[in-house]
Amino acid sequence: MIRTVLTEIGIFLIPFAVYALFLAATRSGLFARSSWPVTIVSRLALVALALVIAGLIGLAQFSGGGPDSTYVPAHIENGKFVPGTER
């Protein structure tokens, strides 16, 4: 679960990192307040939210077991731990 949350946070930060790299490449003052106007930050936030939503939809669509699979929980068999599986 923590990996999923950290992945989505990373996806959210991608547009801001790309813009910061752009500012650094153009030597426009990365830490200058004038380089981060509200309109740019709001557009970056909208793009970031769209990326997070697309990531969550992709995660829901392409992860997990198949629709007809049955989950067998972890158990001990002959004194050995058998992890949970889907059949």
Side-chain angles (χ1 to χ4, degrees):
M1 181 70 181
I2 190 75
R3 180 176 52 163
T4 305
V5 171
L6 291 177
T7 300
E8 295 301 325
I9 289 172
I11 289 172
F12 183 82
L13 294 176
I14 287 172
F16 297 98
V18 169
Y19 184 65
L21 287 173
F22 169 76
L23 288 177
T26 58
R27 301 179 194 271
S28 298
L30 178 62
F31 298 109
R33 189 172 179 90
S34 62
S35 296
W36 296 88
V38 175
T39 56
I40 297 290
V41 173
S42 62
R43 288 179 185 167
L44 290 172
L46 287 175
V47 170
L49 286 175
L51 286 174
V52 168
I53 290 170
L56 289 172
I57 290 172
L59 180 69
Q61 190 68 25
F62 298 112
S63 67
D68 296 328
S69 65
T70 303
Y71 177 69
V72 178
H75 58 279
I76 295 186
E77 195 172 283
N78 296 329
K80 293 188 177 185
F81 177 75
V82 179
T85 59
E86 293 186 32
R87 293 184 186 171

